[in-house]
Structures are given as structure tokens and as C-alpha cells.
Amino acid sequence: MSTIAVYFMPGLAASATIFERIDLPQEQFEIHLLEWEIPLSHESLQDYAKRIAEKITHEAPVLIGVSFGGILVQEMADFMNTRKVIIISSVRSCHDFPRRMKIAKTTKAYKLLPMRLLLNLENLTKFSFGERLNKRLKLYEKFLSVRDLYYLEWAVEKVIMWERTDIDESVIHIHGDRDDVFPIKNIEKCIVVKGGTHAMILNKYRWLNTNLPAIILGTYQDNKQEEASVIIDKQAVNNI
């Protein structure tokens, strides 16, 4: 039996090392890790997605994207045949954005973000901000590997200005109920991971390792009452 090619795309500015704890059965799946590349001058998100899609060498692969990577793999799917598209800690349309991001889109406030701070994490870790904050900075230093200023400005703009309004119902969405970047109350329909934050690819890897194979194969039971996850829709969340 041939294996299923699974391509993983990390989040904004992150390296593929965020998937270092993802472990799928090797007899069923073949993992491939994608990395961010510096965009060309004035490159659109669609052109960028087409360029990254050309690096995929397997027929009908599974695409899995985290955060901005989830947005990107949805755009990539327009240029290729896929077995499945799965997004984690992401959104399926611009309607899923929180209010602050919609305001940033209208006011162009995202242009005022101090991107250069992300380029100087090494300097920040030299100072004492408390053990917890320093530990978080060290994690950022490890996993946020793309420090190119043009890339950061381009990527933030492409997220905020993403124009997709129609949800592709075939896209499978996995989301944490404690995500503070894309709050769950704005998400229409997804597999919810209890206690999952925006960085749950790092701290909920056990749940993902257990459930991703069934999700990919289409055997995941969305009506089983697991402690870790339930299927909810937007109306149910708003009524809580």
C-alpha cells in the first residue's frame, strides 16, 4: 500500500521546526515540511501560493497549514489537486477575523506595527523580564526563524487584507478554544481542541498525533464525546 504524502506549512515567520513533535504512522503517511520563502517584489498572495505549490511533487497530497500557513494552503489548493486541506489555528474566510483585525484592515493600522522588534529577539533575551517571559522569548527565538523585514511586512498585510469570503466546506478546521489570535467565538464550524491556544501545534501535539491520522483518512468520528474535542458551530458558541 502506498503512503499518503502530507505537506505541513508553518505559521507566519515560523520555521518547520514547529512540527518537530508531529509523528504520523510511517506505514501510512509520508511527511514533508514546507518553509517560508522571501516574497518577490509586490508579489500577490495568489502568485506566492502558486510558487510554493510548484514545489509539491506528489499527486493529490494532504495540505496542512498553521495560522497564516492555513490561509496559504487554502490558496495553494486553487492551483493543484489535493486529497485534503486541513488548517490548524487559522481561519477559512475573512469573516472569521476578530473585530480588531477588521478594524486594522479598514484603518490600515497594521502598517504601524513595529516589525523591527521581531528582528531583535536575541537582544531582548539578554535582559531579565522574568523567567516566564524569557522562556517565551526563547521559544520565539527558536521557532520564528524568518527575520526578513520585507517578508514580515508583506505577510502581515496579506493576512489582514485576505479577501476570501466564501468558505470552502471541504476544508477541515482544527481550532483551540483558548486561541487569542483568532478567538473561537468568531469561527463558524470546526473541530475544537479543549485548552488549545494559538500555539497548540507545540503543546497539543499529542492530541494531533492521535487524531490527525483519522482526520486525514476520513474516519474521525465527530460525534464521539471526547474530553479533548467536540464539534461546535458559531450559533452554539454565541449562546454560551
Side-chain angles (χ1 to χ4, degrees):
M1 183 180 70
S2 60
T3 56
I4 298 170
V6 184
Y7 284 79
F8 285 86
M9 189 75 209
L12 193 154
S15 79
T17 57
I18 67 169
F19 303 115
E20 63 185 8
R21 292 182 175 178
I22 298 299
D23 184 20
L24 304 181
Q26 294 182 7
E27 66 276 11
Q28 291 178 294
F29 306 101
E30 183 180 338
I31 290 179
H32 301 269
L33 304 179
L34 297 169
E35 296 276 9
W36 291 103
E37 297 189 0
I38 305 304
L40 304 177
S41 179
H42 305 296
E43 189 171 23
S44 69
L45 180 60
Q46 290 73 28
D47 287 344
Y48 187 91
K50 183 178 181 181
R51 186 155 61 90
I52 300 301
E54 290 172 351
K55 297 183 177 300
I56 292 179
T57 58
H58 295 79
E59 291 290 332
V62 174
L63 301 182
I64 300 180
V66 174
S67 193
F68 182 35
I71 290 175
L72 182 66
V73 296
Q74 290 176 81
E75 296 293 330
M76 290 169 60
D78 290 342
F79 301 102
M80 58 190 299
N81 294 321
T82 59
R83 181 185 181 112
K84 267 191 176 65
V85 176
I86 300 171
I87 64 174
I88 300 171
S89 306
S90 189
V91 292
R92 292 194 295 171
S93 84
C94 60
H95 296 310
D96 293 343
F97 286 154
R99 184 169 177 267
R100 65 179 180 274
M101 292 182 68
K102 293 176 180 178
I103 292 174
K105 179 178 181 179
T106 301
T107 63
K108 301 291 193 290
Y110 64 89
K111 292 180 177 292
L112 302 177
L113 292 173
M115 297 298 177
R116 292 186 182 278
L117 285 180
L118 285 178
L119 303 179
N120 293 292
L121 289 177
E122 296 92 342
N123 292 334
L124 287 176
T125 56
K126 293 176 183 177
F127 298 91
S128 178
F129 294 102
E131 182 179 353
R132 185 174 180 180
L133 183 54
N134 276 344
K135 188 177 295 185
R136 179 173 294 183
L137 286 172
K138 289 182 185 299
L139 281 176
Y140 288 163
E141 187 177 0
K142 176 180 179 181
F143 294 114
L144 297 184
S145 64
V146 187
R147 305 290 180 81
D148 182 87
L149 183 60
Y150 177 70
Y151 164 83
L152 291 172
E153 292 175 341
W154 176 90
V156 169
E157 180 178 69
K158 297 312 175 190
V159 172
I160 298 295
M161 301 303 291
W162 195 44
E163 295 288 354
R164 181 165 298 205
T165 56
D166 295 328
I167 288 178
D168 183 347
E169 296 296 341
S170 69
V171 173
I172 298 171
H173 189 173
I174 303 172
H175 211 79
D177 63 0
R178 294 177 58 192
D179 193 309
D180 58 355
V181 174
F182 299 122
I184 193 70
K185 67 179 182 180
N186 301 307
I187 306 300
E188 287 204 356
K189 193 179 296 181
C190 63
I191 299 173
V192 178
V193 179
K194 280 195 171 184
T197 65
H198 194 65
M200 69 178 182
I201 192 68
L202 300 176
N203 52 36
K204 290 293 184 180
Y205 65 91
R206 290 187 181 90
W207 186 95
L208 292 166
N209 288 342
T210 298
N211 293 283
L212 272 179
I215 292 172
I216 292 171
L217 295 172
T219 59
Y220 179 79
Q221 298 297 312
D222 62 9
N223 60 349
K224 61 185 177 182
Q225 298 299 311
E226 293 183 344
E227 181 180 353
S229 65
V230 293
I231 301 295
I232 64 172
D233 57 26
K234 186 175 181 180
Q235 182 178 6
V237 174
N238 290 337
N239 288 336
I240 293 177

